[in-house]
Amino acid sequence: LLDGSAGVTTQVSNSAKISGFRFGGTSRTTTVTPTGLITVQQTTAATAALYTTTATLSTGVITAGNVSLNGVSFSLASGATLASVAAQFNAASGQTGVTAAIGTNNIIFTQTQTGGNRSVNFVDQNGTLSSAANTAATTVGVNAAATVTVAGQSVLFTGGQQGMDGLTLMDS
């Protein structure tokens, strides 16, 4: 995988052994055929957007307030715990595209998909999970990038193009 988690390097030199990996067409002025060495070199690993709330909630108990996560509003009840607040955010993960985890006396939000066109947008009107009221923060992920070399011709492929996730690579 181009997010770096596979940790595997491979070289295909027999086109009969290629499965699920297809190149065709032209690369600049070279016609791409399924014979010869094809190399893929990751240059940038894809990452998901990540945001950590700034309040240090040493008691683990929340005061009442309103927050917004990727445009979805949440009312947090007074006396709620970090665990119950994280569960409230995770219950809406299908709407927000974000998961919540308990950090060290705070909440860590992570986008469920990678790439520069996937973000975590967090607004805290009351300072419930932030060190100040009216906190607004946006973080974005990073698109994967890889150089594909076929018959000595190299082309840079990047993720996140045309609305795709950060791991789906396309040439520019």
Side-chain angles (χ1 to χ4, degrees):
L1 294 176
L2 292 176
D3 67 358
S5 65
V8 175
T9 303
T10 186
Q11 179 176 333
V12 178
S13 58
N14 182 343
S15 62
K17 302 290 183 183
I18 297 174
S19 175
F21 193 84
R22 183 174 183 273
F23 283 91
T26 58
S27 171
R28 297 190 182 152
T29 59
T30 302
T31 299
V32 178
T33 61
T35 60
L37 181 63
I38 299 170
T39 62
V40 179
Q41 178 64 47
Q42 174 187 322
T43 55
T44 306
T47 63
L50 180 81
Y51 176 72
T52 302
T53 59
T54 56
T56 302
L57 306 165
S58 58
T59 62
V61 177
I62 309 298
T63 58
N66 299 305
V67 299
S68 172
L69 182 61
N70 281 5
V72 178
S73 297
F74 296 87
S75 293
L76 306 180
S78 180
T81 65
L82 287 172
S84 66
V85 168
Q88 185 176 354
F89 288 120
N90 286 330
S93 181
Q95 293 173 284
T96 64
V98 174
T99 59
I102 300 169
T104 306
N105 299 320
N106 56 16
I107 301 285
I108 301 166
F109 297 109
T110 305
Q111 174 56 248
T112 58
Q113 294 186 8
T114 59
N117 57 357
R118 305 294 195 259
S119 62
V120 174
N121 299 302
F122 180 75
V123 178
D124 188 346
Q125 299 169 0
N126 310 98
T128 304
L129 297 175
S130 304
S131 56
N134 297 315
T135 296
T138 299
T139 61
V140 296
V142 174
N143 293 324
T147 300
V148 177
T149 304
V150 179
Q153 294 289 317
S154 297
V155 177
L156 179 65
F157 284 71
T158 56
Q161 295 187 48
Q162 299 177 12
M164 301 299 265
D165 65 48
L167 285 176
T168 301
L169 301 176
M170 301 176 78
D171 65 341
S172 50

